[in-house]
Amino acid sequence: DTGVSQDPRHKITKRGQNVTFRCDPISEHNRLYWYRQTLGQGPEFLTYFQNEAQLEKSRLLSDRFSAERPKGSFSTLEIQRTEQGDSAMYLCASSHYTRKGAEAFFGQGTRLTVV
Amino acid sequence: AQSVTQLDSHVSVSEGTPVLLRCNYSSSYSPSLFWYVQHPNKGLQLLLKYTSAATLVKGINGFEAEFKKSETSFHLTKPSAHMSDAAEYFCVVSELKTSYDKVIFGPGTSLSVIP
């Protein structure tokens, strides 16, 4: 399968713990996005990368959140000192920017539950 | 600033009858528009996209959408609903802004199909 893959698929953690998620985009894609989706809502933009450069961060991304894409390939999203409000599905998507409106391909997400 | 409004949070149709899911957008630039579908416990899948070519766009599974600039709308239609169409549908706008774009999701419309 050469789609976007995310690991882990599910994560249960205690409040206050740190968690890290990984996203492997489609190999030739230079853009990578992170979204957060809570129950009954549409995905909300968190941040995105073009190659290894993080070009934009949403105001939703507090100081406890950090994302990296060190070699322009896979990306990690870390949440420090997790809170119950962080419970959500975290989606990763990738696209190939050479033209306007390139389709974003989504992974199946990592479901985080903070207890 | 760009935004997406999906006028109905939930739509219910009988199997074999037409489907209409409404979407309006606002954008300062010439946007690209997409419809994504999300089945329970599945990743987001692209149904169709508009990128300034033909205003009537055909997608997978018999869906189509028409871009109407004067009405700032991009409604999704299907002539005959199938049980497998029951899912969450998201209208998405992607706006070219300087050298990057950002993908913004609408709140979603839940489609139920009654046998």
Side-chain angles (χ1 to χ4, degrees):
Chain A
D1 188 337
T2 57
V4 178
S5 63
Q6 293 187 245
D7 183 69
R9 293 289 307 279
H10 303 272
K11 178 71 177 179
I12 300 174
T13 190
K14 291 183 178 180
R15 189 175 53 186
Q17 297 295 304
N18 299 343
V19 294
T20 300
F21 310 141
R22 176 179 171 123
C23 171
D24 286 273
I26 294 172
S27 61
E28 65 268 24
H29 285 184
N30 53 6
R31 289 194 169 178
L32 187 148
Y33 302 82
W34 284 100
Y35 287 82
R36 180 173 67 189
Q37 185 178 21
T38 53
L39 200 62
Q41 303 294 320
E44 297 171 297
F45 171 80
L46 291 179
T47 188
Y48 94 97
F49 294 83
Q50 180 154 322
N51 300 314
E52 66 276 8
Q54 188 173 19
L55 294 187
E56 184 167 346
K57 294 172 60 173
S58 164
R59 291 173 196 162
L60 294 173
L61 219 62
S62 75
D63 291 344
R64 296 184 297 106
F65 288 71
S66 63
E68 295 182 344
R69 195 183 183 198
K71 298 181 180 178
S73 56
F74 74 92
S75 176
T76 57
L77 178 68
E78 181 184 16
I79 309 174
Q80 296 181 326
R81 305 181 303 281
T82 52
E83 302 173 356
Q84 287 188 320
D86 297 331
S87 296
M89 176 76 85
Y90 290 84
L91 296 168
C92 176
S94 70
S95 67
H96 185 51
Y97 178 70
T98 57
R99 54 187 168 84
K100 179 183 166 198
E103 173 188 352
F105 291 82
F106 283 82
Q108 291 193 290
T110 294
R111 183 171 295 284
L112 172 66
T113 302
V114 181
V115 298
Chain B
Q2 55 184 354
S3 68
V4 180
T5 303
Q6 291 183 245
L7 298 163
D8 305 296
S9 59
H10 184 259
V11 170
S12 184
V13 301
S14 297
E15 189 176 18
T17 65
V19 176
L20 170 64
L21 304 182
R22 297 182 293 170
C23 172
N24 287 87
Y25 70 92
S26 65
S27 174
S28 304
Y29 301 87
S30 180
S32 296
L33 295 159
F34 307 78
W35 276 97
Y36 281 83
V37 61
Q38 187 176 38
H39 288 93
N41 300 314
K42 297 278 182 71
L44 286 153
Q45 181 184 19
L46 180 69
L47 280 177
L48 51 79
K49 63 181 178 182
Y50 165 78
T51 56
S52 75
T55 57
L56 182 62
V57 182
K58 294 187 184 298
I60 62 171
N61 301 335
F63 284 95
E64 62 181 40
E66 185 172 9
F67 173 70
K68 292 186 177 181
K69 187 175 181 179
S70 61
E71 299 177 10
T72 60
S73 69
F74 190 59
H75 301 333
L76 182 70
T77 60
K78 182 173 180 177
S80 176
H82 191 272
M83 294 299 294
S84 62
D85 294 328
E88 190 82 15
Y89 290 79
F90 295 97
C91 182
V92 180
V93 62
S94 173
E95 185 178 272
L96 183 64
K97 184 177 178 182
T98 61
S99 62
Y100 63 91
D101 55 2
K102 190 165 66 178
V103 179
I104 300 294
F105 282 73
T109 298
S110 176
L111 176 64
S112 298
V113 182
I114 303 166

